[in-house]
Amino acid sequence: MRTTTLSLRALAILGAGFTLLPQAAMAQSTADDGDMIDNADVDSTTPVIVVTAQGREQNLADVPVAISAVSAETLENSGTSDIRELNQVAPSLLVSSTGNEANGSARIRGIGTVGDNPGLESSVAVFVDGVYRSRSGNALSELGPLDRIEILRGPQGTLGGRNSSAGMISIYTAKPEFDFGGYANFTYGNYDAIRVEGGVTAPVGDTVAARVDGVFFRRDGFYNDVINDTDVNNRDRYLVRAQALFEPTDSLTFRLIGDYSKKDEACCAATFVQPSFAPLARLSDDLPPVSADAKFDYPGTATPALTDPANPIIPILLGLGQNPAALNQSTFNRNIYVTPGRSYAGSTEDYGISGELNWDFGNATLTSITAYREYENTQASDTDYTQVDILYRAPGDFAGAREFKTFTQELRLNGTVFNDRLDWLVGGYYANEDLQTRDNLRFGTQYGAFAPCRIVNAVNPALANPLATGCIGAGGRAVLQGANGGAGAFGPATPLIFAGLDRLSQINDLGSTGDVYNQTSENFALFTHNIFHVTDTLDLTLGLRYTNETKDFDASFANDNVICPQNRALLNGLLAVPSLAGLAGGIISLSCQGNSTSELDGVTLEDSRDEDEFTGTAILSWKPVDDLLVYGSYSRGYKAGGYNLDRSALALPVAFNVNTINPAALQFEEETVDAYEIGLKYQERMWGASLSLFRQEFSNFQLNTFNGSVFVVQNINGCDTDLGGLDRDNSGTTGACDADNIAPGVVSQGFEFEANLRPANSLVFTVGLTRADTEFADNLVGSEDGTPLDPALRLLPGDQMSNAPAWVATSSLTWTPDIGTSGMKGLFYINARTTSDYNTGSDLLYGKEQDGYTLVNYRVGLTNIADRFAIEGWVNNLFDQNYSQVAFNTPFVAEQQTYSAYLAEPRTYGVTLRAEF
């Protein structure tokens, strides 16, 4: 058994080491006796780690790529039930979720797809039993019994399946067996958690084996909705998976898998960020809080918190009924104050069928994997995360819905020629993915009272009265009308401004009545991956992939916000007056935010895009001695472009014209990466270690950022020319770059170290360390034609990417001593993950920082009791470490912009009983 753990004593010993150099641990999968590679150069007590990362069974120590493998035993010891828990055993991996678990994101070496837009494919591809999951968030569910998980770092594509730019997670579930057996597990934990898992495998004749597994998990939520007397972020889910394995001959196998899972859960709540957690979550000390630029100013002095009434938007919230406790309590006080009647109810359904054929012809093996899957998720929300009814999605079929219908077919043929001097592999891949998103996002019943206050605050916060029409009472109107000697604060336009505010106040419970986006993607690829054994110790690996990607897009809109076109007609003329353009544009923008307007009612759009890309890899590896592998590699990776499935990207509200809509404005370009790596791996009977140094250069990096009102999707590139700070100002028209000077926009470079020590068969230590400088270029632009960077991203140039800590370490210890002579064993397992500081906001705004922390999980028990029973006690997040997954701009609660945070799970603990038969 190879696993990753850290004992309490070891934790104390390593604690000092944590302060000097983060310790890391990497779990690796160990082959059962039946999985041993023929003629492996080890003694009978040495576990051999078998992976299929190169499309062939190989000893992990002989694979010249950066890969981590986690065995079934390690997964069971660590209590892993979904891919988020792999964070504890893989220092280069970070899996997190935000406003909807369907948006879960996996990052490797700091690189991943962020945000809540399913139009962006995952930078880290996830496969389950060789079948591609359309987005990594689709795999955030119960997995059932597993055989192993392989985590490949760096771009992938020449070995089959879907291409990816940052890495791949391959999950292999437990197969049917020809010996009758079964198991049952029962877990009870705090938050009234109940998890039941069981399964049976049995022969059905001499050539067929079958297996059925099921999981049920229910748990109370981690948040308490004080207003609606319910809990949020709960668990209520189940999984059923049935399989049949056909082995009619020694050379032919066919595995058929069908699975169905369902979740009915409320997700995902958030709390306000406070300076006690993020010290920079404070008002600007150089700019007035009503300035749109205030959030970009570093608060160098101890100014009031963003949620303090000194922030002019806070008295507005309080005046409209916000409970002050939500604004004053700790970030990690999990009481939330939701608009009465609003809900976070969600539903997810995921099911599919797949068949894998393996046919050994003697000198070649054919593999075919055919699959069809459907995935659907809906998620209602109190979208502004306050007690004031500003934005919401009502439960139902249109509640932020996403639906995938995916057919995939993969064919691989591999073998050897020239007296085994060449291991060759060729193949093809086809995928047809139908994606539909549906949305019913609407302005709430108090939006009309709240939104005008944003405008009045910008004029003079002292005049704001959220209980008055247009947020300005008779006294305030008299002050503005009497200004400038009676000419009015805005001259002859003063009555128009009042009328615009009054109309804005009428936007209550208006917005989308059902927007629908459809995207059909067809992906066709040919690939080859060949290992030339130049000598007995020197290998040259060459791989190539051609990918063609076609995406057809259409959308239809339904919207009842009739106030938007009225205010547009009323105030459009003022946009040409420099002194009034900002004020009139602000009213129009708030009236039409996200292009939510009845002008789109009944409008349909169509568009298509086509891409062709060659990617590949070249690896030179050398074994100077049997136990040591040295390698160097170059890889080029690719992630498809697509469509921003959000009408807000059609145009800015002030420039929107329904008669000149260009659906191409929703497109973003494909992302590419050039990756370089050198490394070594050493493995002998009692210990092993590996070290890799890497550099990855990303062009057209796809970034999705929420700016407080809408999501901004933009490709990110660098510029070889010094832009003189024009990419860091508040203008979207300055900071362009000549197309000939475009350079990679994101570079991830560093090293990864992993080691394992097995002083005895019952005792295993592992340690790992990742240093990843995942940074934006010093000079940034948007697309590859040199378009200026969106000003919402002005803090990115030269800085570390969000959710990309520079240092990550994991360490672990597993001890399974014999207890007596009956075969019973003890289990002592502990692991730790330590990260350095990082910013959790994709726009890197001050106040979204997360300090470094250490997360410890612990499990102790007795196993193999009477050859069939086990009892384990466990604690996850042993020291109840508070940390945030993502901090984001609280929707519309500006200026100055406030922040909310999706919190990570608190300490959980419980007891697990296991039985086998």
Side-chain angles (χ1 to χ4, degrees):
M1 173 180 65
R2 292 196 188 271
T3 176
T4 334
T5 318
L6 182 72
S7 74
L8 288 175
R9 174 175 290 183
L11 180 63
I13 295 172
L14 291 176
F18 284 162
T19 66
L20 299 174
L21 179 69
Q23 300 297 307
M26 181 59 55
Q28 298 174 328
S29 97
T30 304
D32 296 331
D33 292 344
D35 293 329
M36 293 291 182
I37 299 175
D38 292 340
N39 303 316
D41 186 19
V42 293
D43 64 36
S44 60
T45 64
T46 303
V48 177
I49 305 165
V50 177
V51 296
T52 57
Q54 295 198 114
R56 315 145 172 91
E57 286 193 349
Q58 292 178 282
N59 184 340
L60 179 63
D62 294 333
V63 179
V65 296
I67 175 178
S68 305
V70 190
S71 70
E73 191 170 13
T74 297
L75 294 166
E76 183 173 296
N77 287 343
S78 63
T80 298
S81 60
D82 72 36
I83 63 174
R84 276 170 296 200
E85 290 151 0
L86 294 174
N87 293 341
Q88 286 296 106
V89 296
S92 293
L93 175 70
L94 176 63
V95 182
S96 60
S97 57
T98 55
N100 183 339
E101 284 210 338
N103 301 321
S105 175
R107 295 172 175 84
I108 291 180
R109 295 171 172 170
I111 299 294
T113 301
V114 299
D116 295 353
N117 195 320
L120 283 79
E121 297 177 4
S122 303
S123 299
V124 179
V126 178
F127 291 80
V128 180
D129 293 319
V131 177
Y132 173 67
R133 295 299 176 96
S134 294
R135 301 293 182 269
S136 56
N138 294 13
L140 293 184
S141 187
E142 299 299 310
L143 297 173
L146 300 174
D147 178 69
R148 71 186 186 281
I149 297 178
E150 297 177 6
I151 304 166
L152 283 77
R153 307 189 287 276
Q156 307 295 321
T158 64
L159 286 159
R162 186 77 170 186
N163 48 281
S164 62
S165 59
M168 181 171 70
I169 301 173
S170 290
I171 301 166
Y172 298 90
T173 65
K175 296 180 180 180
E177 300 176 5
F178 283 90
D179 294 322
F180 177 79
Y183 72 99
N185 303 333
F186 177 81
T187 296
Y188 183 79
N190 61 332
Y191 294 95
D192 204 21
I194 296 175
R195 188 176 188 275
V196 181
E197 180 177 356
V200 176
T201 183
V204 184
D206 295 333
T207 61
V208 181
R211 181 179 188 122
V212 177
D213 297 285
V215 182
F216 169 80
F217 183 26
R218 186 171 61 200
R219 190 209 65 215
D220 292 343
F222 295 134
Y223 293 91
N224 174 36
D225 180 349
V226 175
I227 303 301
N228 295 295
D229 192 24
T230 187
D231 56 273
V232 182
N233 284 42
N234 66 322
R235 292 286 183 267
D236 189 356
R237 55 180 63 177
Y238 64 88
L239 162 73
V240 177
R241 181 165 58 233
Q243 305 180 60
L245 177 63
F246 301 88
E247 296 186 351
T249 69
D250 291 340
S251 60
L252 181 64
T253 66
F254 180 73
R255 184 183 179 193
L256 182 66
I257 307 174
D259 66 273
Y260 178 88
S261 66
K262 186 75 164 65
K263 295 191 287 189
D264 290 298
E265 301 171 351
C267 190
C268 299
T271 62
F272 281 103
V273 174
Q274 300 292 349
S276 57
F277 164 61
L280 299 182
R282 298 182 179 276
L283 295 175
S284 168
D285 57 353
D286 294 319
L287 297 172
V290 294
S291 168
D293 293 329
K295 60 178 172 286
F296 298 102
D297 178 58
Y298 182 88
T301 57
T303 54
L306 293 174
T307 56
D308 189 272
N311 185 350
I313 200 63
I314 299 304
I316 304 303
L317 287 179
L318 295 172
L320 292 174
Q322 175 68 56
N323 190 314
L327 304 167
N328 300 324
Q329 67 186 21
S330 162
T331 303
F332 295 95
N333 183 327
R334 296 173 190 262
N335 285 334
I336 58 173
Y337 297 83
V338 175
T339 301
R342 299 298 181 213
S343 168
Y344 289 98
S347 177
T348 303
E349 193 174 33
D350 180 23
Y351 57 90
I353 186 170
S354 67
E356 179 176 345
L357 172 73
N358 288 281
W359 193 353
D360 186 352
F361 300 110
N363 59 351
T365 300
L366 174 68
T367 298
S368 172
I369 303 176
T370 308
Y372 178 78
R373 298 202 61 82
E374 292 196 12
Y375 177 93
E376 183 174 10
N377 167 264
T378 62
Q379 191 72 61
S381 62
D382 183 356
T383 315
D384 55 79
Y385 301 95
T386 73
Q387 194 173 342
V388 181
D389 196 19
I390 302 173
L391 288 170
Y392 76 97
R393 287 185 173 94
D397 291 340
F398 278 77
R402 63 195 61 199
E403 181 177 344
F404 291 92
K405 296 180 180 179
T406 309
F407 171 80
T408 57
Q409 173 64 58
E410 181 175 351
L411 287 172
R412 297 194 306 265
L413 188 66
N414 69 284
T416 62
V417 293
F418 307 130
N419 295 321
D420 295 336
R421 283 293 181 183
L422 172 62
D423 289 342
W424 57 270
L425 182 150
V426 295
Y429 179 77
Y430 173 78
N432 183 291
E433 176 188 278
D434 289 329
L435 165 62
Q436 181 179 92
T437 68
R438 303 181 297 275
D439 205 2
N440 60 357
L441 180 65
R442 293 176 68 79
F443 299 114
T445 58
Q446 292 177 284
Y447 182 82
F450 174 85
C453 295
R454 291 272 304 267
I455 302 297
V456 177
N457 271 348
V459 175
N460 183 351
L463 301 179
N465 180 0
L467 300 182
T469 300
C471 196
I472 185 166
R477 292 174 190 248
V479 169
L480 294 178
Q481 187 63 67
N484 296 323
F490 316 112
T494 301
L496 289 179
I497 298 300
F498 288 158
L501 290 173
D502 291 344
R503 286 183 176 176
L504 178 56
S505 70
Q506 298 174 37
I507 302 181
N508 296 303
D509 202 14
L510 296 176
S512 173
T513 57
D515 296 339
V516 179
Y517 302 83
N518 291 295
Q519 176 181 280
T520 298
S521 168
E522 279 198 305
N523 178 290
F524 173 76
L526 297 173
F527 53 87
T528 182
H529 190 92
N530 307 284
I531 305 174
F532 299 88
H533 303 292
V534 181
T535 70
D536 291 343
T537 60
L538 184 66
D539 288 350
L540 175 64
T541 301
L542 297 175
L544 183 67
R545 180 187 182 104
Y546 166 76
T547 303
N548 175 264
E549 179 93 22
T550 302
K551 288 184 176 174
D552 297 320
F553 164 83
D554 67 75
S556 61
F557 305 98
N559 196 289
D560 61 4
N561 179 14
V562 296
I563 305 301
C564 168
Q566 292 177 17
N567 260 351
R568 193 190 307 280
L570 179 72
L571 300 172
N572 255 350
L574 301 182
L575 298 177
V577 181
S579 62
L580 297 174
L583 185 60
I587 297 175
I588 293 174
S589 294
L590 288 169
S591 301
C592 312
Q593 195 60 254
N595 293 322
S596 178
T597 171
S598 61
E599 296 160 298
L600 277 175
D601 192 50
V603 171
T604 60
L605 303 176
E606 291 185 356
D607 198 33
S608 63
R609 58 179 289 119
D610 192 2
E611 302 169 7
D612 293 277
E613 192 74 28
F614 282 97
T615 55
T617 187
I619 308 170
L620 187 65
S621 59
W622 177 47
K623 297 197 72 172
V625 295
D626 287 344
D627 296 329
L628 176 64
L629 174 72
V630 182
Y631 68 92
S633 69
Y634 164 78
S635 297
R636 181 169 176 82
Y638 154 77
K639 183 176 75 162
Y643 290 90
N644 179 0
L645 306 181
D646 187 337
R647 52 176 153 71
S648 67
L650 289 170
L652 294 175
V654 293
F656 180 82
N657 185 334
V658 72
N659 298 312
T660 59
I661 292 176
N662 180 10
L666 300 177
Q667 291 193 29
F668 54 87
E669 298 304 313
E670 63 269 25
E671 174 181 299
T672 59
V673 56
D674 292 297
Y676 310 86
E677 185 171 323
I678 58 174
L680 58 85
K681 298 183 178 184
Y682 182 84
Q683 184 67 55
E684 63 173 38
R685 186 175 65 84
M686 294 183 62
W687 70 280
S690 65
L691 174 67
S692 62
L693 286 75
F694 62 88
R695 179 180 172 88
Q696 302 174 142
E697 301 173 346
F698 289 82
S699 298
N700 269 339
F701 182 79
Q702 298 167 4
L703 185 68
N704 187 20
T705 300
F706 182 66
N707 67 8
S709 300
V710 297
F711 282 94
V712 176
V713 176
Q714 184 167 42
N715 291 107
I716 302 294
N717 287 284
C719 183
D720 283 334
T721 304
D722 187 353
L723 298 177
L726 296 179
D727 54 347
R728 308 180 190 213
D729 62 19
N730 60 4
S731 172
T733 61
T734 59
C737 180
D738 189 285
D740 292 335
N741 295 323
I742 295 298
V746 175
V747 173
S748 175
Q749 60 186 357
F751 69 86
E752 296 161 322
F753 172 76
E754 301 171 9
N756 59 82
L757 173 65
R758 180 184 289 268
N761 287 338
S762 62
L763 185 63
V764 179
F765 300 89
T766 62
V767 64
L769 177 66
T770 295
R771 167 72 187 198
D773 293 315
T774 306
E775 297 179 345
F776 294 100
D778 289 336
N779 296 279
L780 288 184
V781 293
S783 60
E784 58 191 355
D785 63 1
T787 302
L789 187 71
D790 189 291
L793 308 176
R794 70 183 79 168
L795 295 182
L796 270 56
D799 210 340
Q800 185 87 352
M801 185 174 289
S802 66
N803 279 289
W807 293 97
V808 179
T810 56
S811 51
S812 69
L813 177 150
T814 303
W815 184 36
T816 56
D818 292 329
I819 306 294
T821 59
S822 65
M824 182 170 63
K825 291 179 176 291
L827 169 65
F828 185 90
Y829 178 94
I830 190 167
N831 63 28
R833 176 184 175 99
T834 296
T835 72
S836 59
D837 300 349
Y838 57 97
N839 194 309
T840 66
S842 54
D843 51 13
L844 301 183
L845 290 177
Y846 306 114
K848 298 183 179 181
E849 298 82 6
Q850 168 64 59
D851 287 341
Y853 59 92
T854 297
L855 195 65
V856 179
N857 294 342
Y858 173 68
R859 186 172 291 252
V860 63
L862 295 173
T863 67
N864 205 36
I865 303 170
D867 291 329
R868 65 181 58 196
F869 300 107
I871 180 170
E872 303 163 6
W874 52 268
V875 184
N876 291 332
N877 193 358
L878 179 64
F879 299 111
D880 201 19
Q881 174 68 51
N882 287 325
Y883 64 103
S884 166
Q885 294 190 89
V886 171
F888 60 96
N889 298 347
T890 310
F892 289 101
V893 185
E895 304 288 349
Q896 187 172 341
Q897 179 68 61
T898 60
Y899 307 139
S900 297
Y902 300 116
L903 307 180
E905 296 186 356
R907 176 170 52 211
T908 57
Y909 53 85
V911 176
T912 297
L913 304 176
R914 305 182 190 273
E916 297 180 354
F917 56 89

